Structures are given as C-alpha cells and as structure tokens.
Amino acid sequence: DKFLLAILFIPLFTEERWRNYAVRAFIAAILVMLVSSYLAGYAWFPFVSKGSVEVFKDSIAFNFLMAFAAYLCMFKGVADRRYRWLWVTFLLVIVYTILFRSIGRSGYFVFVALMGLFFIQKLGCRGVILMVISTALLFGLAYKFSPVFKGRNVAIVNDIKVYRQNDSTSVGLRI
C-alpha cells in the first residue's frame, strides 16, 4: 500500500516548488529522527528500549531512510555552496549513524547503491572508480572501528553458512 502513495505524489511533484518543499520536509523529519535517536541511545526517552537507536521506525526502514537522506545531503552539499559545511556535517552524522549505531543491514546496501548512483550522476564513469574506492575505505574503517557494523556483517556470513543446512535464518529467508 505504501507504493500506491507514489501514484498519488507523482502529480504533486511535477512542480519544482513542491519538490523542494517535500525535500525540506523529509530532511526535517530525518533531523527529528536523528536527534531522537541520539536521545534514545542515552536512555533519555522512556518509550524506547535503552541503547536502541532506531526510533519511529524499525531498523530496516530507519537505515533505509538514513541512506536516502545521505544521498540528498550529498546533492545539497554540491549544489548549495553557502551552506556546504552544514550539509557535510549532517552527512557525516548520518553516515556515522548508519555504520556505527544502527543495526539495519539493508541500509548498508541501500547506502552503497545510492552513493554509487550519486558518483555516477555527478562524475560519470570516473564516479564508479571513486565510489568503489570510497566505499571500500569507508566500510573498511567501519569494520575495523564499529563493533555494530562488524557484528552485523559477521552475522551475514554466519547466516549464509547456516543457510546451506537450514533456510530459516534472517539472510536465508531473503535468499
């Protein structure tokens, strides 16, 4: 049913003014989610389990939305020179949240795909090389320094190994 919303929104976003309003509203919502996420991470929200960083959405949707927000921040950072420092800071907080705090593995793949799309859109074929290098560097650092990221990726490998004997693991069900 959520995909049907796209049909309703397409006519609305044909005008640039409405597209800009939608992007601003989305960025504002992501900012609220990020602030709430950090507050929840330090147990300042009683309705969220202690240590949980995913607020308002489950871990899959949370990381997916953060990945899309990172994509938008990259575009805004390139286009809006006056506030570039603000967009870069916002992007860094989002990337840190995706790779170091959240447990949604699907968001990792969405993040890589959207990063690749951004680099290809802005740099063409050279963007593929830059995307591969930056993704390898970023994920390598996250694997080395983020126990959350490392643990989730080790779980993927273990689930794939277990999948061969039993297809009811998290990754097995997706395969």
Side-chain angles (χ1 to χ4, degrees):
D1 62 338
K2 291 177 180 63
F3 292 117
L4 293 176
L5 290 175
I7 295 169
L8 298 174
F9 285 130
I10 287 173
L12 181 67
F13 295 145
T14 55
E15 291 183 43
E16 186 174 350
R17 182 178 109 196
W18 292 109
R19 282 193 307 266
N20 289 335
Y21 286 147
V23 169
R24 287 183 196 130
F26 179 77
I27 293 294
I30 292 298
L31 183 60
V32 168
M33 284 178 71
L34 274 175
V35 169
S36 301
S37 168
Y38 279 87
L39 292 175
Y42 295 108
W44 290 1
F45 278 163
F47 59 87
V48 178
S49 62
K50 184 178 180 182
S52 177
V53 299
E54 290 85 8
V55 293
F56 307 123
K57 293 287 184 185
D58 63 358
S59 61
I60 295 171
F62 181 87
N63 244 9
F64 182 89
L65 293 171
M66 290 295 149
F68 186 67
Y71 174 75
L72 289 176
C73 284
M74 288 189 280
F75 261 102
K76 291 288 191 178
V78 169
D80 190 0
R81 293 176 187 223
R82 197 167 97 190
Y83 295 109
R84 181 173 289 160
W85 63 272
L86 183 66
W87 290 113
V88 169
T89 303
F90 195 35
L91 174 64
L92 290 174
V93 171
I94 291 170
V95 170
Y96 179 78
T97 301
I98 291 171
L99 297 178
F100 287 81
R101 299 185 70 232
S102 182
I103 62 169
R105 295 180 293 203
S106 300
Y108 302 153
F109 296 108
V110 173
F111 178 70
V112 169
L114 290 175
M115 227 169 90
L117 178 63
F118 172 80
F119 284 123
I120 290 169
Q121 287 173 330
K122 292 297 178 185
L123 301 172
C125 291
R126 293 177 299 154
V128 174
I129 296 167
L130 184 59
M131 187 273 300
V132 168
I133 292 169
S134 61
T135 301
L137 180 65
L138 189 62
F139 277 37
L141 289 171
Y143 190 82
K144 173 110 173 109
F145 296 108
S146 172
V148 173
F149 185 81
K150 185 175 184 176
R152 297 302 285 168
N153 284 296
V154 167
I156 290 173
V157 172
N158 290 336
D159 281 353
I160 290 172
K161 288 177 184 175
V162 171
Y163 170 71
R164 296 174 201 266
Q165 292 103 21
N166 177 8
D167 62 354
S168 64
T169 64
S170 175
V171 173
L173 292 172
R174 289 179 177 100
I175 291 174

